[in-house]
Structures are given as structure tokens and as C-alpha cells.
Amino acid sequence: MRYLIAIFSFVLSILPAIAQEEASTFVEKGAIAYERGDFEGAAKAFNEALEQNGSNASLLYNLGNAHYQSGNYGQAIVDYERALFLDPRASDIRTNLEMARNATTAFEEKSEPAIWEKPLHWLSLNEWFLACGIAAGLLAVVSLMRAFLSGRKGQVSLRWVTVVSLFVLAIGVSALILRQGELDRAIVLRPGTEVRLSPFSTADVVATLREGQGVQIQEEHEGFYLLSKGWVSKEDLQKVCADS
Amino acid sequence: MKSHSQFLSGAIWSLAVACAAFLPAAVLAADVSVSIQPSTFGADQGAKLSVTVNGGSSDQPINPPIPDGVSLRPYGKSSNIQIINGSMTRSEAQNFVVTADKEGEYTIPSFEVSVNGETIQTDPVTFTVTAGGSAPQSLPGGSSAAPQGNAPAADSQSLGFLEMQFPARDREHLYVGEMAPVRITAFFPPRTRVQLTSQPRPEGPGFTLHNLSEEPEQQLVEKDGETYRAVTWYGGISVAKAGEYPVKVSLDATVMVRDQSGGRSARPRSPFGGSFFNDPFFDDFFDNAFTRVIPREVTLSSKGDPLEVRSLPTEGRPADFSGAVGKFSFGGFKLPADATTGEPQRVRVTVKGKGNFDRMSAPVLEPGDSWKTYAPKTEFQGDDVAAFSGSKTFEFSAVPRKGGEQRVKLTTSYFDPDTGKYETIASPEVPLDIAGEDLSSGANTMAAAALDPKQEKSSQKAKAPTQLAPLREIGVISSASLQPLLYHPAFQISVGLGILGIVAGFVIGGLRQRHSEPSRVAARAAQQREREAIEAAAESSKSGDASVFFDSARRALQVRLGSIWDKPAEAITLSEVRQRFDGDTAIVQFFSKADAVSYAPAGSISTTELDRWNRLLQETLANPSYSVKRPDTVPSNAS
């Protein structure tokens, strides 16, 4: 029994390493295919690496490049936006994302945030969530310490921690409220994607969307997403963030 | 031995009786009969079909075969045992409700029933279905429909009819592709329950219904002297082929009709024999309450008046005509203020009006040879429920090919069905100074390549790698989640605990702070001192020590009054107490007695008297006004 447990533990410990090794192999294959001009082959290899390893900003960025070079701009925009979700301050991802948007003329209604909004975009959504979580935890600790500690000892330090935590929490919550739409953001994958009146493939078309255009998903219903103007087939859209 | 023979004889007799009782049933052959009552009934009614098995029971569920147009619904089982002249017969009946969509004569053919392992063939049964109720033969709306056939259905007892109306207009014809607004109304009897199982659909090739309202309007209406529940849809209809066609729509619905097979006898009559419960009002009431309803699937169809559909004329058709038929105009447009050759510009234009907007293509930017335009993004905003009128906004990219001053405008064409002519409309001209040199066709392709995904990949590949940031070198591959932290249960629990900690900290801190307030501390100390004084008074009253008792009693009262008057307890003296209370109140007596015993030894006071004084003290402290009078039970000489 002890041998079995030991073997099981060993297998469990080396599995991630094996997966990472395989992912590295696919990354190399993808890079070679990309250099050769086989962009579809490169995209396939990078996708395999993502499946083996899980999401990674650099991998997604490389995949975006491969899709861009294949002329698959909608998918490239999805990849770049996902890479930015994980690495929000990377200039190369932003540059290539802008190029992909220009390639499809999928101009964003509001591509650049206002000056006062810029600090709220310094961190990714997850970084803001983490900052808010840490600030809330610190406030909880400070609050409990103030409740149980008597006397003036350490009160000044606690006050500073409270002020800083409250500041971070206020900024973080503002950023998350302002950017909450990013949670349900999706990208149009195909040119001329049709927006229908009802969630049926035979329903009347009320609008068309450009490839690469960013949209906000409001609801899901049997193979269709509800946008502000109507319903779009799920096959024509891809969400940037993973589902809950 | 005797008992054994008695037992044996009893057993034989019992066996004989049992055989006598059950043998006839076992020996008699079973049979199956099929009957229907009544054998003639209306199309909007039903009849009871009974399959009776005599002399046994069916081994398997009974499923009689049914002819086309007839529906069968199980109606329960009944069994019966009869003993006549010592012969017992057992019968079991399986009942069904039979309904038919159309009038006519129907036959339920012979079928097999397995009884006690034996297969028995039934006789066929014939029944007649007549036209339902007292329905007239012509329909008020001119519709041709009722329960999936020709059975009339038009008055309050019918199953409904359908109408399609075009709004009043000058011409009697449509053009191919033209969208005409229509109103489709289904009429049902007001007191029936109806479930719509489809949307109205066009009958016949070439017709299309557009933008039917998803939630139809419902209201009670009067029509030809009858009341109906009207369900109305609005939408548009278009025809794809020229010719003369009957325009007809149909609709599927399930109408719940009352099962008349049981008749009124189904309701138990009044056991009191009076006329009160036999009033027709109660007939309706009990019929509604007890009579089963049968779902009847019906297809309603409108009458189908012929309509002339004309082709669009070829004469005078503009080159950019895309099939839009109606009346349109420009609702606004936005052109770039300045531009440079080769650089993509955004153009936004809105076309408003009435007609088939789905065929309206993006307006053309003129002069045409100076611009290259790309596939637009469109958005339609309907002004009415049928989306017949509204506005369509086009947003597209355009690359200027020629530099210099230009007068730019947008044009579009449509066919006006009222005048029977093509119309071309143009926006006002906008002067635009375009910087840069004219693009050659090659340069043009290069510039456009970044805009058009369908352009040749070779040109893109020639340009893109020089601008696209290169691949990243990936050493160690770390893994991160694309799922927002908000959706991680661990994060949700952590934040929840944090908020709980903040709230708990505030609550506990607040309670502690409240607990340590000076006024509360003083109040608690006063309460403690008062308690101690009361205890000392009680003990001294038992021990008979009068001086200690009155001193303790005064202290208890001082503490209490001091907390009320917000004064130090020691500062409350007999003179102040006399000023605030009547002289005969117990509180004044306590103070004066305490003063007296502190300056002169107390006389002999019995423990009984002290006990009464102690009770008076308790009573005084318990009374919020402290105005307890000295009772007669306390001797006056004690003061």
C-alpha cells in the first residue's frame, strides 16, 4: 500500500512537469512554423501548447500573431485581448492588438480611456480584484485589532494602514465598476455577423457586425447571445474572459 | 382420531364449496365487447367508448386502433362482479373519450384483446360525427377554417377563425420585394382556453411574413353581434414572385372544449329534490367545475383573397439599385472633416423611411472613382411594432484615392411603389480637401489591404511582418487563469470573510467603547454601591443594628438620588431631600432617622420593626417617583 501511495505521489508530482515539457515542445514547433511562414501550423501548435499548459500571456500573444498572419483577425483580437487580461502593461500586445483592429476596421467606440480613467487601467481586472481583496483583508485585521487592543500603542500605525487600505479599496472598486463590462466582453469572429431579432437562425436580421468588433453580452439562450441590439449565434462570438 | 376425521371432512366440504363458487367463472368462456355512447355526436363534442371484458381481465393494456381524424383519450377503468343464481360473473371495462375533427361516419376496426392467456377478437364499432353545435356555415371574417378541415366554426361555440388585413391604400397590387404592413387577428370564443402552438405563417410559395410582433395583443371585441377574444399580430408581408396569388396565412392552436360525452347527467342532481340546485345557473357552474375539457388541435386559416403582384420595371433601374422598395430619405450623415489619400476614414449615414429596409444597401460615396469603400456595419431602428418604418444606419470605411479638393456626397436608389418609378436621392454635397498624392492602383491595394480581410494574403504578408511586433521568446511557461477572480469561490469566501471581519471589528469595538464610557463606568459603580448598601441594610435589619441599618439605607438612597440628580451621593442631605419631597414620604423619614441615629444612640428598635423599615426601603427604591408615604405599619415613635 505504501508503495502504491509513493508511486501515486510521484506520478502526481511529475505530471505538471511532463505537461510543461510537452507545452514547450509545441511552443518550439509553433515558433519554427511561424518562421517558415506556416502561420496556420503555428496557430495549431500554440493552441496545443495552451491546451497542455493552460493560459499564458506570451503564448496567447504568439497565438494572436499566428492568427493575425493567417488573416484571422477576429480570432487574433480575442487572443491579444486575452493576453492583455493577463499582462495589461505589455506594449507589444497593445501594438499588435491595434494593428489587428485596424486590419478589420473594427474601431472601438472608445479605444482610449480618458485621462482620469487611465490610472484605473494600470492594473488588470484580476489585479484590481486582488488589490481590493487584500485591502478588505487588511481593513478586517485592523478593525479587529482596534476592537481588541486597548491603549494607544500602535494606534497610529493602524490608522495609516486603514487610510491606505481605504484608498486602495476606493480606487479598486471604482476601477471594477468602470470596467465591469469587460467581464462579459466578446469579440465578433466573422465578417458580416448577423444580429437577429430573436434567438432563432430564421429570425429577421436587424443589424450586422464587423469582424473583430467588441460587443457586450447581456444574456445567453440556446446557442445565442443577446447583445444590446439583438441575438447573435454563439459560433460568431468568442468571450474574452472565461465563463464563471 | 376423531378430531382427525372431523378436520378431513371439514376440509373436503370447504373445497367443495370453493369449487362450487369459483368453477362457473373458471369454466365459462370470457368475452370482450366494445360499445360507444352516444353513437352520434357533434364535432365539438365527444363520446364514451367502453371495452368490456366479461369473465376475466385483460392481460395487457387495451389500445383500440383509431381511424384517421379520430382521437382517443383514456377515461378510467371500472369493474363489476355479479352473482346470479349462484353463478358469479366478473367484468372489467376500460373507458375512453372519443373525439373527431370532422363530421362523417367512422369505424373502430376489430382488434385483439388478451384475456386469461386467450386472445379474443372484438367486433368493429361504427359511430357518426355531425357538424358541431349550431354553428352557421359561413364565417363572419370570411375565413375558411376550423378544426383542421371544413367543420364550420364561427359563433361563440366555434373554435375560432383567422383574418388578415392590409391597411387601406390606393392601389390593389404589390410589387415584388415590397413589404406591405399587415394585421393578423385570430378570433376565439371568449370563454374557451386557447393555447397558441405556432406563430401565423404564410400559406403558399413566395410569401414571407416579416417582423411579426412576438407578443400579440389580446382583447375582447364585438364582431357581427358576437363577442370574441381577439389575438392580434402586426408585421409585414412580401412576395418574391410576380403573378396573382391568394394571400393566406394560417395558425395552429389548441382549444380546450368541454367534453359533452357525459352530458348533464354527469353532474349529480340535488339529493334534496328541490328546484334550487337544478337552476340553470348551477348547470353552468357544475358543468364548468365537473365537466372535463378536451384539447382540440385546430389550424385556423384566413380566407385568402387574390392579390396581384407586379414585377419591378427594368426601365430606368439605377445601377446601384439593391431592391429597396418603399419611400426613403437621408436622415443624417457624417463625413470626415479632412482626409489623406490612403488613410481609412469612417463614414456614417442614416436612411429613414418606410419599406423593406433589409434590401437597402449602403449609400454610395461620390465621386465614386475617388474612393474605395468597404463592407458596412448596419443597424436598424424600427419606428413601429412591425418594423415597417424606421431608420437604418450604415457605418463603413472609405479610403480616398485622389488628393485635392472634392465635393463629396452620398447617393442611394429605391423603387417607389406608389409612383411606380425608381428614385435616386442624394445628400447635400460637402467640400473636402484631401491631402496627399493620388494613389496608384498598386499603392491603393496596399493601403486597402489593412482594411479588407478578403484582400489577397500576399500583399498583407508583405506588409504585416514589418510592423507586427515579433513573437515572444518563451522560457519557463507559467500558467494563469482567464477566469476573473470574482468568479473564484476561494476569492468570494476570502472577501466575504474580510467584510465579516470589518463588520465584526466595528461591532465589537463599538460595544467595547460604549462599555468604557465614564458615565457608564460611574453608573455601574453607583449601582454596585447601591447594591452593597442595600445588602448591608438587609443584614443589619436582621441583626437588629439600627444605626448601621439607617446609615446603609440612607447611603443606598443617596446613591440612587445622586445618579438621578447627577450629583455626588454624599452631597445629598436631609435639607435637600425635604425641599424636594413631602415631609411624610418615607425617603424624608429615612434621611431624618439616619441623621438622628448618627448623633444619638438609637432607642430600642426590634428586628421586626427594622424588617418593616427594610421592606419600606425596598418599596421606596422600587418606586420611580420615590414618593412612597410612610405607612402606618411603621411605628411613629420609630422616628
Side-chain angles (χ1 to χ4, degrees), chain A residues 84-99:
Chain A
L84 270 184
F85 180 81
L86 301 176
D87 187 2
R89 292 168 291 280
S91 58
D92 53 351
I93 302 175
R94 285 193 183 280
T95 304
N96 287 7
L97 173 62
E98 200 177 332
M99 281 200 63

Side-chain angles (χ1 to χ4, degrees), chain A:
Chain A
M1 188 64 186
R2 267 188 300 175
Y3 289 117
L4 276 177
I5 292 170
I7 291 168
F8 185 68
S9 308
F10 175 72
V11 170
L12 272 186
S13 64
I14 63 166
L15 272 180
I18 293 171
Q20 209 172 52
E21 186 64 32
E22 284 185 17
S24 298
T25 312
F26 283 118
V27 169
E28 280 173 27
K29 276 186 186 173
I32 292 167
Y34 190 90
E35 289 303 317
R36 225 177 30 232
D38 176 12
F39 301 119
E40 282 173 11
K44 198 176 166 190
F46 289 137
N47 260 324
E48 292 275 3
L50 279 169
E51 276 178 25
Q52 292 292 332
N53 182 76
S55 300
N56 173 281
S58 299
L59 259 177
L60 284 164
Y61 164 82
N62 286 359
L63 179 64
N65 276 11
H67 278 139
Y68 180 97
Q69 299 285 26
S70 312
N72 199 352
Y73 300 116
Q75 191 61 56
I77 290 172
V78 174
D79 298 331
Y80 290 138
E81 290 211 6
R82 285 180 169 176
L84 270 184
F85 180 81
L86 301 176
D87 187 2
R89 292 168 291 280
S91 58
D92 53 351
I93 302 175
R94 285 193 183 280
T95 304
N96 287 7
L97 173 62
E98 200 177 332
M99 281 200 63
R101 281 182 182 154
N102 287 341
T104 55
T105 61
F107 304 114
E108 288 292 303
E109 289 299 324
K110 197 180 168 190
S111 55
E112 275 295 306
I115 292 174
W116 66 271
E117 289 175 357
K118 281 190 175 175
L120 307 180
H121 286 80
W122 284 343
L123 301 182
S124 71
L125 274 186
N126 270 357
E127 286 168 343
W128 276 123
F129 276 124
L130 198 63
C132 287
I134 291 170
L138 280 175
L139 279 177
V141 170
V142 167
S143 172
L144 289 170
M145 282 176 76
R146 288 171 76 102
F148 287 107
L149 288 182
S150 56
R152 296 189 166 274
K153 194 177 176 184
Q155 291 288 331
V156 177
S157 311
L158 289 182
R159 198 167 295 143
W160 273 110
V161 174
T162 307
V163 169
V164 172
S165 300
L166 280 174
F167 178 74
V168 171
L169 199 62
I171 299 284
V173 168
S174 307
L176 291 173
I177 290 171
L178 187 81
R179 295 169 60 186
Q180 61 180 321
E182 292 176 29
L183 294 173
D184 298 311
R185 183 175 162 79
I187 303 297
V188 178
L189 295 179
R190 292 174 184 79
T193 289
E194 290 169 330
V195 183
R196 297 182 182 278
L197 195 63
S198 313
F200 308 106
S201 54
T202 52
D204 288 320
V205 175
V206 292
T208 55
L209 301 172
R210 277 187 176 283
E211 181 187 13
Q213 189 180 336
V215 291
Q216 208 65 37
I217 292 171
Q218 296 177 358
E219 203 180 299
E220 289 184 43
H221 179 78
E222 291 178 3
F224 282 83
Y225 285 127
L226 175 64
L227 312 182
S228 59
K229 291 292 172 190
W231 297 86
V232 175
S233 168
K234 281 186 176 178
E235 291 171 2
D236 295 334
L237 294 180
Q238 193 158 3
K239 290 183 91 170
V240 175
C241 295
D243 282 325
S244 55

